[in-house]
Amino acid sequence: MADEPAAQEPVADAPAETAPAADATAADATAADAPPSGAKKKRGVGRPRRIQTETIVAAARRILAEEGVAALSMRRVAKEVGTTPMALYHHVRDKDDLLMLTLSGTAATLPRPELPADPRDRLLAVSVHMHGTLARMPWVVEVLSLGDLTDKGALWMVEEIVGAGIDCGLTPADAVRAYRTIWHFVSGELIFRHAMERRAKDPDRKRYFPDMLTDADATELPRLAALAGRWDELTEDYDTARQLGAIIDGLLGPADRRA
């Protein structure tokens, strides 16, 4: 299992230097100018309070988990941690940097499974593990869908998938393409699943497909119209591991050709 990223040191503005001790005369003068006892002391304008990187990351992850990527902004995170957007930029370069910090270490929260020696079986096992890991963290899927952002600690899965593909006889280029095909399936399936779960929480929502299909559609859409009434039955036992296995068989070719 990849080592967890080293714990990040709290990032904070340097404390102001301690002023030299004043002489007794200056101290007496200051005391004379002090406001009467009980008077409210004006709040001085100083630097924003110290912020730890872990506090920033925790706030960003909470926003992502509860509201999604669209709700995340430097201004929103600054408000959550009680500072200003300008102060936050002393700790985080930009939104991509913030997203990378939120991803860092997520893969290490789940143990790495023991993998079979057979490369085809290993390819399937890693792909299923990747799907299961991301299914537990829907917000991570949304962040990863933005493009080249990733948790370095999760790259062992990419290494294993590409390596298993090569061990199965694929060229390095085809092994990379196979990984991308598997990733597109995993991420797409999870995005769709989580979207359907969110929609299902709305009791008043109208379901369009397959309910929109009627007998009147039988001429143009004969197979879909015939299956519309059984659609839930046919999809409720969808087996992700089985479908991944079918994809992998297609990517690797017939078993006799791999022998």
Side-chain angles (χ1 to χ4, degrees):
M1 175 159 180
D3 293 334
E4 290 192 45
Q8 300 185 34
E9 291 295 327
V11 183
D13 294 320
E17 294 182 359
T18 304
D23 57 29
T25 302
D28 291 340
T30 302
D33 293 335
S37 177
K40 289 185 178 181
K41 185 177 179 181
K42 290 184 178 180
R43 184 177 179 181
V45 178
R47 295 179 177 181
R49 68 183 182 86
R50 296 163 64 96
I51 312 167
Q52 293 186 331
T53 304
E54 303 91 86
T55 303
I56 296 171
V57 170
R61 284 179 176 170
R62 184 169 61 252
I63 294 168
L64 288 168
E66 295 176 0
E67 302 176 50
V69 171
L72 186 73
S73 67
M74 299 292 277
R75 182 178 298 277
R76 174 68 186 281
V77 174
K79 182 179 179 181
E80 290 281 329
V81 300
T83 189
T84 65
M86 285 302 295
L88 197 65
Y89 280 108
H90 289 295
H91 309 282
V92 182
R93 185 177 62 253
D94 53 26
K95 185 174 178 178
D96 274 0
D97 191 31
L98 179 60
L99 289 170
M100 285 294 290
L101 285 172
T102 64
L103 288 174
S104 180
T106 53
T109 61
L110 296 173
R112 188 185 301 194
E114 292 187 15
L115 299 175
D118 178 78
R120 193 270 177 198
D121 293 341
R122 187 165 73 251
L123 183 54
L124 177 58
V126 177
S127 300
V128 171
H129 175 77
M130 180 167 64
H131 181 277
T133 298
L134 293 173
R136 294 174 174 85
M137 298 179 283
W139 67 268
V140 174
V141 181
E142 190 177 3
V143 174
L144 295 178
S145 70
L146 297 176
D148 58 356
L149 304 176
T150 192
D151 174 16
K152 191 173 183 179
L155 291 181
W156 70 266
M157 289 181 274
V158 184
E159 170 72 18
E160 288 289 355
I161 290 174
V162 172
I166 293 173
D167 291 344
C168 286
L170 298 180
T171 66
D174 282 341
V176 170
R177 295 184 187 107
Y179 159 71
R180 292 197 63 183
T181 299
I182 291 168
W183 165 245
H184 291 160
F185 169 81
V186 167
S187 60
E189 197 277 333
L190 289 173
I191 289 171
F192 179 79
R193 176 191 296 187
H194 296 317
M196 292 301 293
E197 289 174 354
R198 286 195 300 270
R199 287 177 61 79
K201 292 178 182 178
D202 180 3
D204 299 323
R205 77 179 182 93
K206 177 181 178 180
R207 192 175 77 159
Y208 290 91
F209 180 82
D211 295 355
M212 64 172 63
L213 296 170
T214 66
D215 293 340
D217 297 303
T219 301
E220 185 178 357
L221 305 169
R223 292 176 179 81
L224 288 180
L227 293 171
R230 299 179 55 209
W231 197 263
D232 291 341
E233 170 196 343
L234 297 173
T235 57
E236 66 182 0
D237 62 346
Y238 186 86
D239 188 332
T240 301
R242 180 178 179 181
Q243 299 308 314
L244 276 168
I247 290 171
I248 289 170
D249 284 342
L251 290 168
L252 298 181
D256 56 351
R257 200 174 75 189
R258 300 197 304 269

